[in-house]
Amino acid sequence: MSFITGVGLTSFGRHEGASTLDLMSRAAELAIADAGLQRDEIDGVLCGYSTVQPHIMLATVFAEHFGITPCYAHAVQVGGATGLAMTMLAHIIVQAGMAKHVLVVSGENRLTGQSRDAAIQALAQVGHPSYEMPLGPTIPAYYGLVASRYMHEYKITEEDLAEFAVLMRSHAADHPGAQFRDRISVADVMASKPVASPLKLLDCCPVSDGGAAFVISRERTGETGVRIRGCAQAHTHQYVTTIPDFDRMGAAISLQRASAQSGLSIADVRYAGIYDSFTITLAMLLEELGLAGRGEAAARVRSGYFSRDGAVPLNTHGGLLSYGHCGVGGAMAHLVEMQLQMTGRAGGRQVKDAGIALLHGDGGVLSSHVSMFLERVR
């Protein structure tokens, strides 16, 4: 058994003069205080990678910088799925008795600390070194290819994809830490700059500075506990040219495994935090996870199903598409928001029922998947 006992999140956007370690430290300090702990009570540290500070021992570099001496320290690298993969590992570590309180932390000054060309080159490394990278594609280009195929298969339109960007922006409008808070329309998305057909600028997450952290503990420390009921992974491919089955990318597999472990199903879910690097990412994952039928997720958005007062509120902080994306910490913000919702601390964003939640992370080009069920315990 494990609990998410504390969370910390910086605003996302531009943090001039703040390094990767600075942003990690800010988020970590918030999470530890939120858990009601002192720094010396943290006996495990897991951190994500940083493209701005690609140190081969980032976990111990951070521990020294932050002033702690954990008995367990480890850095993890699974692309956008890293945040949930670290959460799963922390869950295993505390269950095994190897640590009592594990700090999961990541942050990056990707917006102010890295040039545009350097960021593009770093992220393009997910492509095959012989068959994809020499052709010059970027991450948006890979997802543009996937979007074109998916739209053809399931008769989805560009306007359908735009609905997800509009929803995320409407949620971010009420979060003071979001990078983009101005509301947008489908027409705004359609009129935005082309990036990688059919994806346009507002179909893509921004580049951000920011940090996120949380504490995974063996026992709950607050009045309301958020318990990890079950979590699992699936890794079906790495490269976009080797996708084995367009109808089963890996999300359904990790969900099935997490469901078996937790005893919960998609029908039990009352809140969802789903990875949304692009509008197509969110559409495909919602449908593969069973939160909508194939080709039907956009219609559910239009109906209000995923709105704050809908049947399954989704990414109520604005997700990667509007809160922002600072690398590993971007997806970790989904878990921070979920914990706040489950403990009734989301303020004006609070949903009516977040008793059972589903989190799902995606790394690479829908390559690595982590699904996690959580429940509120009073």
Side-chain angles (χ1 to χ4, degrees), residues 11-329:
S11 62
F12 280 15
R14 185 174 292 274
H15 286 269
E16 295 286 356
S19 69
T20 286
L21 292 175
D22 292 335
L23 293 165
M24 292 172 70
S25 297
R26 292 176 191 177
E29 188 172 8
L30 291 170
I32 293 169
D34 190 48
L37 302 171
Q38 300 297 317
R39 290 193 191 195
D40 59 8
E41 293 181 88
I42 298 297
D43 50 1
V45 172
L46 296 173
C47 75
Y49 63 92
S50 166
T51 60
V52 181
Q53 185 170 341
H55 198 286
I56 62 172
M57 297 178 65
L58 189 56
T60 48
V61 167
F62 167 76
E64 181 177 81
H65 177 84
F66 195 60
I68 56 177
T69 55
C71 62
Y72 186 98
H74 192 67
V76 179
Q77 190 163 343
V78 203
T82 301
L84 287 190
M86 292 194 294
T87 308
M88 180 176 175
L89 179 56
H91 168 68
I92 293 168
I93 289 169
V94 300
Q95 279 194 315
M98 296 175 64
K100 188 175 180 180
H101 302 289
V102 177
L103 174 68
V104 178
V105 59
S106 190
E108 211 168 345
N109 57 329
R110 191 173 284 188
L111 178 60
T112 60
Q114 192 172 48
S115 70
R116 178 179 177 275
D117 288 345
I120 290 172
Q121 184 177 13
L123 297 175
Q125 302 304 308
V126 299
H128 193 286
S130 299
Y131 306 119
E132 294 174 5
M133 286 179 59
L135 300 175
T138 60
I139 285 284
Y142 292 128
Y143 275 90
L145 290 171
V146 171
S148 295
R149 171 68 182 275
Y150 200 77
M151 291 167 66
H152 172 75
E153 292 287 339
Y154 297 105
K155 312 306 178 189
I156 295 171
T157 67
E158 293 182 32
E159 288 83 0
D160 287 335
L161 293 182
E163 294 284 359
F164 299 98
V166 173
L167 176 65
M168 291 301 97
R169 187 62 65 87
S170 70
H171 286 172
D174 297 320
H175 199 306
Q179 186 169 356
F180 294 110
R181 300 177 61 194
D182 293 338
R183 294 179 184 272
I184 57 175
S185 66
V186 169
D188 292 328
V189 180
M190 296 299 293
S192 63
K193 179 183 177 180
V195 173
S197 181
L199 303 178
K200 293 160 287 298
L201 184 64
L202 293 179
D203 286 301
C204 308
C205 64
V207 176
S208 318
D209 297 337
F214 30 87
V215 178
I216 310 296
S217 303
R218 202 177 307 165
E219 304 291 341
R220 73 188 194 193
T221 59
E223 185 175 323
T224 301
V226 175
R227 181 170 68 180
I228 298 175
R229 276 282 297 264
C231 42
Q233 300 183 22
H235 308 271
T236 56
H237 64 281
Q238 173 58 45
Y239 307 116
V240 68
T241 50
T242 60
I243 292 175
D245 186 348
F246 219 75
D247 290 331
R248 197 170 171 82
M249 291 284 196
I253 300 171
S254 63
L255 177 74
Q256 183 179 26
R257 292 168 179 168
S259 181
Q261 186 182 116
S262 66
L264 298 170
S265 72
I266 202 70
D268 298 310
V269 173
R270 295 295 176 265
Y271 180 89
I274 309 297
Y275 194 79
D276 59 318
S277 52
F278 301 93
T279 52
I280 185 60
T281 317
L282 190 53
M284 292 179 68
L285 289 177
L286 287 170
E287 292 173 9
E288 185 165 342
L289 291 167
L291 286 166
R294 292 291 187 181
E296 297 174 0
R300 284 208 155 178
V301 171
R302 284 189 287 267
S303 74
Y305 189 87
F306 297 117
S307 298
R308 193 172 296 140
D309 58 354
V312 181
L314 172 70
N315 299 350
T316 51
H317 64 306
L320 300 170
L321 286 167
S322 286
Y323 192 88
H325 196 354
C326 63
V328 173

